[in-house]
Structure formats: C-alpha cells, structure tokens
Amino acid sequence: MSFSPALTTARLADTRVPIVDELARRWSPRSFDPEATVSDAQLDALLEAARWAPSASNNQPRRFIVARRGTHAFDAMVSALMGFNAAWAHQASALILGIAETSTVDGDPRPYSEYDLGQAVAHLSIQAENEGLATHQMAGVEWDRIVAAFDLTENLKPITITAVGTVDDADKLPEALAERETAPRTRLPLEELVLLRS
C-alpha cells in the first residue's frame, strides 16, 4: 500500500473562515520519524507555552513529566499505553505526561484543574506546530501503571500523554493505522456545536 507523504505533512483544516496558520495546520499524526530528535530549546518553548496558558485564579494546577525516547521514563509511559497507541507512540521523539493537580497538598480542591491542564496542552500543541513539530494526545493509558511508575501522590491525576516529534510517511504504519492517517479530516459543523448565538 502506498500513501502520499503530502497527505500526512500538509493536512490543512478546511475552515469556513481563515484561522491562525498553526491552528489550521495542527493535526494528530501517528507516524513519527524514529530517528528525529527534539532539542532542549524546542521542549523549553513547548513547556513555556503551556506555562502561559490561561488559568482559573492563576492557580496553575497543571504539572508535566517530559521523557525523551531512549530513557527509562519514556519506556515507562510506552509500556502503559493501550490499543493502537502502543503500536506507534514508541517512535515519537518525546512523550509528555499531563497531570492535573486536583487539590493542594493541604486538601483544598482545585475543581478546574483538568480544564486548566487542557488549556495548557492546547497551547503546547500550537507552539509545537510553530516549532515544526507534531503532537498527538492520548488517553488510552493504564493510569494505575503511570501513577506507580512516577510515584504520583493522590492529588496528582494523570490525564493525558502527548507524543511529540516529526511526522513520517504514513506507509510506515500498520495498514489499518495508515488508512486512518490519510483519511479526510472532519469536524462537526458549527450549527451542531453552537447552541445559541445572539
């Protein structure tokens, strides 16, 4: 089976009106170049973008564990992945574990921590696009293994693992994943998303 690399590296969103380039280009590939690396400067930029994402009451209840391919922490994350994720994520240059701090160490709840983390990871993904990198967020994870591997306390809830790297050709994936990789990008129409606009 043969796929065009152009389909995997230039998959612009078909938007109704123009949006910021990085938003239009962002998508979630599964085919990552297993030889590509991510620099300290690039990782710093991604994490800085996450740091400056909006935060309720500026509590900033998001935490991250960053692991490059070839490290024990990277392997621990890969070993906890389930389903299709386990078939491709090991090729990424780095994995970033996103953690919501659900309460303070004193037990005061932080009810918007997951929302805050989501905003931070969204900012990280757009910065990655600006850096020439791709991201793919995953939730198909055995979270109990992650908690044990990184000795997370009860108030630190792992929510997502984001693969970071350079897009590779889709035909390097197993056939079923390659088909998904090159399928048309779709979104629900605004009419279904917007309940009221006045």
Side-chain angles (χ1 to χ4, degrees), residues 130-151:
N130 185 69
E131 298 288 326
L133 299 168
T135 57
H136 187 122
Q137 299 167 38
M138 299 170 281
V141 181
E142 295 182 58
W143 294 118
D144 56 337
R145 295 184 65 173
I146 293 294
V147 169
F150 297 103
D151 197 25

Side-chain angles (χ1 to χ4, degrees), residues 150-187:
F150 297 103
D151 197 25
L152 299 179
T153 56
E154 190 174 343
N155 69 322
L156 296 178
K157 181 180 179 181
I159 299 291
T160 184
I161 294 177
T162 301
V164 180
T166 302
V167 178
D168 206 347
D169 294 344
D171 59 7
K172 295 182 180 178
L173 290 168
E175 185 173 347
L177 288 178
E179 289 176 1
R180 293 176 67 178
E181 193 82 343
T182 57
R185 296 181 63 196
T186 61
R187 285 294 189 271

Side-chain angles (χ1 to χ4, degrees), residues 54-79:
S55 175
S57 301
N58 202 27
N59 284 327
Q60 305 168 59
R62 53 263 182 136
R63 301 292 182 265
F64 301 96
I65 293 175
V66 182
R68 283 192 172 94
R69 187 180 55 242
T71 65
H72 175 72
F74 185 95
D75 293 342
M77 289 189 212
V78 168
S79 71

Side-chain angles (χ1 to χ4, degrees), residues 6-30:
L7 289 175
T8 62
T9 58
R11 302 187 68 200
L12 288 176
D14 183 15
T15 61
R16 286 166 60 163
V17 297
I19 60 174
V20 174
D21 288 347
E22 287 83 359
L23 290 171
R25 292 195 312 263
R26 189 222 60 81
W27 65 292
S28 300
R30 296 171 186 84

Side-chain angles (χ1 to χ4, degrees), residues 23 46-58 60-62 64 98-100 112-127 137 159-160 162:
L23 290 171
L46 270 59
L47 295 167
E48 191 70 3
R51 183 169 82 100
W52 284 99
S55 175
S57 301
N58 202 27
Q60 305 168 59
R62 53 263 182 136
F64 301 96
I99 302 165
Y112 302 111
S113 59
E114 293 183 29
Y115 181 84
D116 261 21
L117 175 64
Q119 292 219 58
V121 174
H123 280 62
L124 180 153
S125 69
I126 298 306
Q127 183 65 38
Q137 299 167 38
I159 299 291
T160 184
T162 301

